[in-house]
Amino acid sequence: MAAGVATWLPFARAAAVGWLPLARKTMPRPPVDKSSRSDEILFVNVSGQRFQTWKNTLDRYPDTLLGSSEKEFFFNEDTQEYFFDRDPEMFRHILNFYRTGKLHYPRHECVQAFDEELAFYGIVPEIIGDCCMEEYRDRKKENQERLAEDTEAGEATDTPLPDSATSRERLWRAFENPHTSTMALVFYYVTGFFIAVSVIANVVETVPCRPLKGTVKDLPCGEKFSLAFFCMDTACVLIFTFEYLMRLFAAPCRCKFARSVMSVIDVVAIMPYYIGLVMPENEDVSGAFVTLRVFRVFRIFKFSRHSQGLRILGYTLKSCASELGFLLFSLTMAIIIFATVMFYAEKGTKGSSFTSIPASFWYTIVTMTTLGYGDMVPNTIAGKIFGSICSLSGVLVIALPVPVIVSNFSRIYHQNQRADKMRAQQKVRMARIRMAKKGTANAFLQFKEDGGLGDPDSNSSALCLKNRSAFENQHHHLLHCLEKTTNHEFTDEMAYSEMCLTESVGYRTSRSTSLSSQQGALNNGCCPRRARRRAAMRLANSTVSVSRGSVQELDTFPVKSTNLPQQTRSSLNARAVDIKLNCSDRDYTAAIISIPTPPSNTPDESPPSSPAIPGILRNTRATAYLQDAVKISSL
Amino acid sequence: MSQCRKRCRRQLTKVARYFYRFVTGTLTQDSIEDDFELSTVCHRPESMDKLQEQTKFTKKELQVLYRGFKNECPSGVVNEENFKTIYSQFFPQGDSSMYAHFLFEAFDTDKNGSVSFEDFVFGLSIILRGTINDRLNWAFNLYDLNKDGCITKEEMLDIMKSIYDMMGKCTYPNMQDEAPREHVENFFQKMDRNKDGVVTIEEFIESCQKDENIMQSMQLFDNVI
């Protein structure tokens, strides 16, 4: 609803005084306005920046957040103002919308951030004023295209296949992204080589070679060495056919694959050979057969799988297809017009080469593209005048769509370059997300290790426990409830894989019965649980040597180090070995730091993210465990 | 494969239209329709006073809840995808999507495919501030997938599997495949009084009231907000 309607209503009601003397019946009673009509200034605090506005200003748009009762959810009683934890810079534009009725788009802001703010305040983006609408729409479309590309690139070929992929999926992946395996790479280069060989053979075939003995005429090489060329052609076609059939087999959607441009090119490249095989050696038909050989040159397009530049060119032409179509259409119109005019202008002259309108087409095209062969020249004055107009207009008509095509090409080229960067960024982002997930999982396991499941009020809990945030405590409590519900415990991947190993060896029956009985008996108390866990871990550890370090993923490493609060280091220094080493890492990324350092070394007071400190902690743990491991394995 | 063929046909008509436009030289028009697709699904909750009457939360608690809710979903409603994403952040080791789906069904009382702030707050009010019977009722509603008033073994098995899925693969002891089924048998033995294979609401509430552990644990979440 426009701002105008609400604010002009009192005027319209006052203007009704003109009807009163003329009325035939008595006027109805006016509605009683229960809410206080007096206007007041509202204070809106957006991240510390205070805005003030009349209540009426905000009430102009009752279907937005600020205009409806939804803003009461954000009212702060203590300071008697509305507090929003959002961007104050953007809020300025939002508030201006209420004041002026026009929403402007700030050009230096990210379009997505602006959209989010609009969504939060309940404002529909279509209200953006005409002055800023185009810019907003362009930026938004660009953003959407970019995001669409990213999701395509993301779900495409770089993530490793799950183990359950069938051989067909693996084959398809090998074809789409040759860098996944060496076999695929070899195949990729071999096909590329054969494409080149085939194209060169096609070209060399027609070069005139020295004539045979006894003849005078120069012979094209293809006829002189016909057998050799035939063998080469056969080999190439066999390889192309094999490749095409393999791709067809491996394609997840054969229909879609068969329609795709590349497969059409493949088919067109190999069909002439097969048609030539089945064609009888007939004189009249072989003429057509020769024309078919022209299609062999399409093999050169197979290179587009191997060359990114060709693909970019193809995309450019596809994306500016409408501009190209427009160019062709307007050229055709111009050609017809000028050809007709030239024909009728030159009709009278004797011996003129403008014999018909289609014959004049050639002249028009040559003139408009400024080629000017000179094989057809106008002789009359009128013809010359129209001819010059033709060449001038030709320059204009052709020059107009070219910048559009060029800008499209440049955009696609840059997009392509960005796609590679985006893929690299995606990898980093996925690694970070995986790390964060592992972090939360391992944080909980850490929590249990540190005896957090015991009585939270007892004094025996380590210092590190008390420093955990309320959020962490509650989250860990939630995970603990889940464990209790299912009567299973969370472990980490290492222990799990060890358990799988040991189970397969045959420890299963004895260990599971003893431990399950223990589990049933014990409901609380951290010490027995921790002892049990330690026993399980030691049993697990004993079977595998330190080579485990190489198995562990590198990216799990940095997260642990940031979880360590300050006190643990000092407590570790105090009583090096006999302390329970509560808050040390359980991770064995021994690959990074292989030199064992004694725990009495004072760790340097560098920021927690330095690798040295966890290394020290880790290695003490490692030594402690290895000692125990030695003992247990003798069982 | 059939949707593959349908797509093929659609694409062929698109190609034909494309060629026609190419030949006649029509330039592509800015499609105005694309802009109006998304957004504008904005839901505004009822006023805070009304919500205060209908739920057992104080004004401050409602404010806190709404701020969090609005931050995650500025449009005012949660759809199932968002709900699953939010819930999965708390269970990094397992797959919580199935259980999140059941939760979503339980919160979405008017069955319109999205959870508004009112649905959210009503649900929470029952769970966190309701009487023990209310909470048991809500839990029963969660388990009863087809909302017919009784829990069958299949429904319980689905729920149980979804809970066990949240544990993930790396558990101690190793997760056996029959663990959910065993648990369901256990549950039915305890709850199904007349042994007719289904658990009705009365059996459920009666059995829960007799179990001290359950009654005590129901008060676990009193101080969540």
Side-chain angles (χ1 to χ4, degrees):
Chain A
M1 190 160 79
V5 179
T7 43
W8 287 96
L9 185 61
F11 166 73
R13 294 177 81 195
V17 74
W19 311 332
L20 293 178
L22 313 168
R24 290 232 211 114
K25 299 233 178 90
T26 50
M27 289 282 146
R29 248 195 287 219
V32 178
D33 206 350
K34 293 211 186 76
S35 65
S36 61
R37 244 21 188 119
S38 64
D39 211 355
E40 42 168 335
I41 292 192
L42 297 180
F43 297 96
V44 179
N45 186 344
V46 182
S47 299
Q49 208 166 338
R50 287 185 97 218
F51 295 88
Q52 297 172 9
T53 179
W54 291 113
K55 184 168 184 301
N56 275 352
T57 313
L58 294 181
D59 284 343
R60 281 189 202 154
Y61 297 99
D63 52 350
T64 59
L65 187 154
L66 291 170
S68 66
S69 62
E70 195 185 342
K71 62 179 184 281
E72 302 302 325
F73 282 102
F74 297 91
F75 188 68
N76 192 348
E77 310 278 352
D78 312 322
T79 52
Q80 289 292 309
E81 61 186 11
Y82 294 92
F83 181 76
F84 291 98
D85 202 5
R86 311 287 296 191
D87 192 353
E89 307 280 322
M90 302 267 210
F91 188 74
R92 195 170 59 84
H93 299 282
I94 309 272
L95 201 50
N96 274 339
F97 165 62
Y98 285 91
R99 293 181 182 137
T100 61
K102 283 206 281 270
L103 181 62
H104 293 279
Y105 167 60
R107 278 158 215 228
H108 56 276
E109 297 284 353
C110 170
V111 71
Q112 205 162 355
F114 188 64
D115 261 350
E116 280 170 15
E117 291 297 312
L118 288 184
F120 181 85
Y121 291 107
I123 297 177
V124 185
E126 278 70 35
I127 303 185
I128 293 184
D130 290 333
C131 43
C132 301
M133 186 52 139
E134 243 177 70
E135 169 90 21
Y136 174 73
R137 279 243 294 257
D138 287 342
R139 292 269 289 261
K140 195 157 175 195
K141 211 193 307 195
E142 196 188 307
N143 207 19
Q144 274 174 355
E145 280 177 13
R146 204 175 290 187
L147 284 179
E149 271 172 38
D150 290 351
T151 44
E152 266 180 42
E155 68 198 17
T157 51
D158 280 353
T159 56
L161 276 177
D163 290 328
S164 58
T166 63
S167 61
R168 184 172 156 186
E169 287 173 6
R170 262 188 242 272
L171 197 60
W172 179 248
R173 170 65 64 87
F175 274 129
E176 288 298 294
N177 191 359
H179 300 281
T180 48
S181 74
T182 24
M183 268 298 293
L185 208 57
V186 162
F187 187 69
Y188 176 74
Y189 284 126
V190 161
T191 39
F193 173 70
F194 272 100
I195 296 174
V197 159
S198 155
V199 169
I200 291 175
N202 282 349
V203 167
V204 168
E205 240 178 18
T206 58
V207 171
C209 277
R210 238 187 299 225
L212 295 168
K213 272 207 262 293
T215 52
V216 180
K217 203 173 64 151
D218 259 345
L219 219 56
C221 284
E223 288 178 27
K224 188 164 173 196
F225 303 103
S226 60
L227 191 61
F229 279 105
F230 180 73
C231 290
M232 209 177 312
D233 205 21
T234 314
C236 294
V237 168
L238 278 178
I239 294 213
F240 296 153
T241 319
F242 173 70
E243 183 203 353
Y244 180 68
L245 290 175
M246 282 282 107
R247 272 183 209 262
L248 192 64
F249 165 68
C253 178
R254 297 212 175 108
C255 185
K256 183 167 136 195
F257 173 73
R259 279 184 307 117
S260 71
V261 177
M262 288 311 301
S263 95
V264 165
I265 291 178
D266 286 338
V267 168
V268 168
I270 60 181
M271 280 323 267
Y273 179 80
Y274 289 112
I275 295 181
L277 276 185
V278 303
M279 195 100 77
E281 281 299 327
N282 203 341
E283 269 307 314
D284 347 310
V285 191
S286 66
F289 170 59
V290 165
T291 358
L292 266 180
R293 301 188 93 191
V294 163
F295 285 102
R296 290 189 307 169
V297 81
F298 274 84
R299 286 178 199 169
I300 207 171
F301 284 117
K302 285 167 69 76
F303 264 130
S304 57
R305 274 213 185 94
H306 298 248
S307 146
Q308 209 179 24
L310 259 184
R311 272 203 300 269
I312 294 181
L313 197 59
Y315 285 145
T316 313
L317 291 176
K318 193 166 81 152
S319 75
C320 20
S322 65
E323 276 87 21
L324 280 176
F326 175 64
L327 168 66
L328 275 178
F329 183 67
S330 50
L331 264 180
T332 315
M333 273 190 350
I335 288 172
I336 295 178
I337 291 176
F338 279 109
T340 317
V341 167
M342 290 306 294
F343 173 71
Y344 283 113
E346 290 285 309
K347 195 155 179 212
T349 32
K350 226 190 325 212
S352 100
S353 43
F354 293 83
T355 49
S356 65
I357 294 187
S360 319
F361 281 167
W362 175 241
Y363 168 76
T364 323
I365 291 176
V366 167
T367 313
M368 281 185 94
T369 53
T370 70
L371 273 178
Y373 286 135
D375 53 351
M376 287 165 79
V377 195
N379 287 322
T380 59
I381 298 182
K384 287 189 181 152
I385 292 176
F386 287 119
S388 39
I389 297 177
C390 175
S391 68
L392 285 175
S393 63
V395 169
L396 282 176
V397 169
I398 292 183
L400 280 176
V402 169
V404 179
I405 298 176
V406 165
S407 78
N408 262 348
F409 178 78
S410 136
R411 180 174 62 93
I412 292 182
Y413 177 69
H414 285 298
Q415 256 178 22
N416 223 339
Q417 295 215 307
R418 227 193 42 235
D420 293 332
K421 278 188 231 158
M422 199 64 63
R423 234 172 284 148
Q425 225 178 43
Q426 276 287 77
K427 274 200 186 142
V428 173
R429 208 183 305 164
M430 294 314 296
R432 222 183 307 139
I433 290 178
R434 252 180 282 141
M435 215 155 69
K437 276 200 153 181
K438 274 229 164 64
T440 44
N442 282 325
F444 178 59
L445 297 168
Q446 200 72 53
F447 182 71
K448 294 207 293 189
E449 266 271 327
D450 305 335
L453 301 174
D455 192 0
D457 295 328
S458 71
N459 291 335
S460 60
S461 53
L463 281 167
C464 58
L465 280 184
K466 300 214 171 87
N467 288 321
R468 293 193 196 271
S469 64
F471 172 77
E472 276 192 40
N473 274 333
Q474 291 168 0
H475 186 207
H476 292 157
H477 176 245
L478 181 66
L479 292 175
H480 189 212
C481 289
L482 184 61
E483 285 188 338
K484 288 289 188 181
T485 314
T486 56
N487 212 10
H488 286 68
E489 286 181 10
F490 284 109
T491 60
D492 65 351
E493 287 181 17
M494 200 175 59
Y496 173 71
S497 49
E498 297 322 317
M499 257 190 290
C500 288
L501 280 178
T502 52
E503 278 183 7
S504 62
V505 173
Y507 285 118
R508 183 179 181 156
T509 47
S510 57
R511 191 163 58 98
S512 59
T513 48
S514 63
L515 288 172
S516 55
S517 62
Q518 272 190 3
Q519 244 181 355
L522 294 167
N523 279 334
N524 46 12
C526 43
C527 290
R529 177 183 309 243
R530 210 176 326 127
R532 203 178 355 121
R533 173 165 293 286
R534 284 266 179 87
M537 276 220 45
R538 282 186 207 143
L539 204 58
N541 290 341
S542 63
T543 52
V544 181
S545 60
V546 186
S547 65
R548 201 187 309 137
S550 53
V551 172
Q552 198 74 352
E553 286 181 24
L554 232 53
D555 53 359
T556 59
F557 161 63
V559 184
K560 301 324 161 309
S561 49
T562 53
N563 276 347
L564 298 174
Q566 287 292 112
Q567 281 87 336
T568 51
R569 265 180 275 153
S570 48
S571 61
L572 192 63
N573 282 336
R575 302 179 294 154
V577 186
D578 26 330
I579 196 176
K580 282 181 258 171
L581 292 179
N582 277 335
C583 300
S584 52
D585 282 321
R586 284 198 299 128
D587 248 10
Y588 288 84
T589 47
I592 297 183
I593 300 177
S594 49
I595 309 164
T597 48
S600 52
N601 276 356
T602 49
D604 36 329
E605 292 301 299
S606 41
S609 58
S610 76
I613 296 141
I616 294 169
L617 298 175
R618 222 186 307 116
N619 283 300
T620 56
R621 194 73 167 223
T623 48
Y625 267 5
L626 281 175
Q627 288 168 11
D628 292 332
V630 166
K631 287 183 209 151
I632 297 278
S633 60
S634 58
L635 276 169
Chain B
M1 263 314 195
S2 67
Q3 78 235 60
C4 191
R5 288 224 177 119
K6 257 188 259 175
R7 241 185 288 141
C8 284
R9 223 170 295 142
R10 246 183 287 144
Q11 300 245 1
L12 282 170
T13 49
K14 216 167 47 164
V15 167
R17 229 182 298 149
Y18 185 78
F19 270 123
Y20 171 73
R21 262 194 258 134
F22 182 77
V23 164
T24 55
T26 42
L27 294 171
T28 44
Q29 280 184 333
D30 229 0
S31 41
I32 318 171
E33 310 85 49
D34 294 340
D35 283 346
F36 287 99
E37 9 110 327
L38 88 351
S39 79
T40 71
V41 178
C42 204
H43 177 92
R44 194 143 282 110
E46 310 194 4
S47 75
M48 209 156 55
D49 305 316
K50 265 209 209 150
L51 281 180
Q52 227 186 329
E53 287 169 30
Q54 289 166 345
T55 67
K56 304 201 180 90
F57 289 120
T58 66
K59 223 174 197 169
K60 269 221 157 68
E61 292 169 342
L62 281 175
Q63 280 189 336
V64 168
L65 279 173
Y66 187 69
R67 271 183 237 143
F69 186 82
K70 180 90 177 171
N71 240 347
E72 271 310 310
C73 336
S75 61
V77 291
V78 197
N79 59 8
E80 198 165 328
E81 275 316 305
N82 276 350
F83 196 81
K84 284 187 180 167
T85 317
I86 295 172
Y87 200 69
S88 69
Q89 288 169 6
F90 297 105
F91 300 97
Q93 275 194 316
D95 172 28
S96 58
S97 53
M98 231 22 238
Y99 189 66
H101 168 75
F102 294 137
L103 274 182
F104 188 81
E105 299 280 309
F107 270 102
D108 183 17
T109 41
D110 46 3
K111 298 280 165 272
N112 59 353
S114 59
V115 168
S116 65
F117 183 62
E118 284 102 342
D119 298 334
F120 183 65
V121 154
F122 290 153
L124 282 185
S125 160
I126 297 178
I127 301 174
L128 302 178
R129 299 273 185 270
T131 64
I132 301 226
N133 264 1
D134 287 340
R135 295 176 197 190
L136 289 174
N137 256 317
W138 199 89
F140 185 85
N141 197 30
L142 173 69
Y143 300 149
D144 185 10
L145 299 178
N146 55 359
K147 315 285 181 241
D148 61 353
C150 47
I151 308 178
T152 64
K153 279 209 174 134
E154 286 75 30
E155 292 175 339
M156 204 56 212
L157 189 61
D158 284 338
I159 298 263
M160 203 60 80
K161 274 206 206 132
S162 69
I163 296 181
Y164 274 79
D165 280 342
M166 287 201 284
M167 291 293 295
K169 170 167 74 106
C170 307
T171 58
Y172 172 77
N174 253 341
M175 186 70 73
Q176 313 295 335
D177 287 334
E178 314 86 50
R181 199 173 283 279
E182 271 179 53
H183 202 147
V184 171
E185 292 298 324
N186 224 340
F187 175 79
F188 265 78
Q189 240 180 1
K190 208 165 51 153
M191 299 276 167
D192 191 7
R193 297 277 145 166
N194 52 2
K195 306 286 175 232
D196 58 352
V198 294
V199 177
T200 63
I201 178 90
E202 295 85 20
E203 291 177 336
F204 182 70
I205 295 194
E206 213 189 304
S207 318
C208 287
Q209 281 176 340
K210 295 217 173 79
D211 188 343
E212 260 313 303
N213 270 342
I214 296 184
M215 296 304 276
Q216 245 188 5
S217 57
M218 276 288 169
Q219 284 149 9
L220 202 62
F221 297 105
D222 271 348
N223 300 329
V224 165
I225 298 216

